[in-house]
Amino acid sequence: MKKVFFILTLALMCVMQADAQNAKVDDKELVGTWIMESMQWKGEKKIVCGKEMGYTQFKYYGPDGEYACAIITMDKNGKCAVSPHEYGTYTFKDGWYSEMGREKIKDAMIMIDKNTFKGVWENKRFDIWKKVKMPEKLRKYIIDCCKTQNPPADVQQMMKQNIFK
């Protein structure tokens, strides 16, 4: 009798664990600041981002659809740098994701829980992202760097005329 009870208890725990892993996380949980924890190219070994590697990525998802993405690096001397990647908008609804007006993709990002999501980039790289709290000044600085990725039309024209003559 004890063995039957134990087996039933174990089976129930497994079912509860599977349900917990498949729990739907509300789309609005994406709103916030995220840092890449790891990335893995298809068929290759997982790369853990962070201090040891001196590399990670930053993403910001605003409540109004604002989107910013940057690469953050740290050299051997501890000097950090922001390389803006893009700035624009995103949408995320019922598992359909799009950023920068690109085609919507189903399950390109899967919320694991309120603080973790799995992302897929170009069907070639699988990323794990963690939601982080960071000082407003730092978040704003990185977002402002991303905004410089898209200079105004008059500045674009000046670059063409003065730099790429």
Side-chain angles (χ1 to χ4, degrees):
M1 186 67 163
K2 287 182 181 179
K3 285 184 182 178
V4 171
F5 179 73
F6 176 74
I7 291 171
L8 288 174
T9 302
L10 187 59
L12 181 59
M13 287 173 57
C14 289
V15 168
M16 289 171 42
Q17 180 66 23
D19 282 347
Q21 289 176 346
N22 295 327
K24 175 134 172 63
V25 177
D26 196 338
D27 294 344
K28 70 181 176 192
E29 295 299 335
L30 185 61
V31 171
T33 305
W34 298 80
I35 297 295
M36 181 186 281
E37 183 177 84
S38 67
M39 61 182 157
Q40 183 172 9
W41 295 90
K42 211 177 242 183
E44 295 186 16
K45 184 179 172 188
K46 179 168 82 170
I47 300 167
V48 177
C49 301
K51 187 176 181 179
E52 279 189 42
M53 184 182 184
Y55 174 93
T56 192
Q57 291 184 22
F58 161 100
K59 286 193 178 197
Y60 173 73
Y61 299 100
D64 58 354
E66 180 183 26
Y67 166 77
C69 180
I71 294 170
I72 312 293
T73 57
M74 183 173 67
D75 68 17
K76 295 175 188 171
N77 298 317
K79 185 175 179 183
C80 297
V82 175
S83 298
H85 179 61
E86 54 190 11
Y87 176 82
T89 60
Y90 80 98
T91 59
F92 185 51
K93 181 103 173 108
D94 297 326
W96 288 91
Y97 177 76
S98 175
E99 58 194 33
M100 303 299 294
R102 293 187 277 268
E103 180 182 343
K104 288 183 180 179
I105 301 172
K106 180 75 169 160
D107 297 330
M109 122 180 340
I110 298 171
M111 299 293 295
I112 297 171
D113 58 40
K114 292 180 179 189
N115 297 309
T116 310
F117 78 78
K118 289 194 283 188
V120 179
W121 183 68
E122 292 190 349
N123 289 323
K124 297 177 188 171
R125 192 183 73 205
F126 304 91
D127 307 330
I128 301 293
W129 293 82
K130 290 290 186 179
K131 190 178 243 184
V132 297
K133 292 182 191 251
M134 69 173 45
E136 175 66 19
K137 182 177 182 177
L138 175 58
R139 184 185 65 78
K140 184 180 179 326
Y141 173 79
I142 297 171
I143 292 170
D144 287 347
C145 287
C146 292
K147 288 178 181 179
T148 66
Q149 187 70 8
N150 303 318
D154 61 332
V155 174
Q156 285 275 346
Q157 189 60 33
M158 284 188 269
M159 284 192 267
K160 289 176 189 173
Q161 291 172 345
N162 294 286
I163 298 171
F164 295 103
K165 358 180 184 174

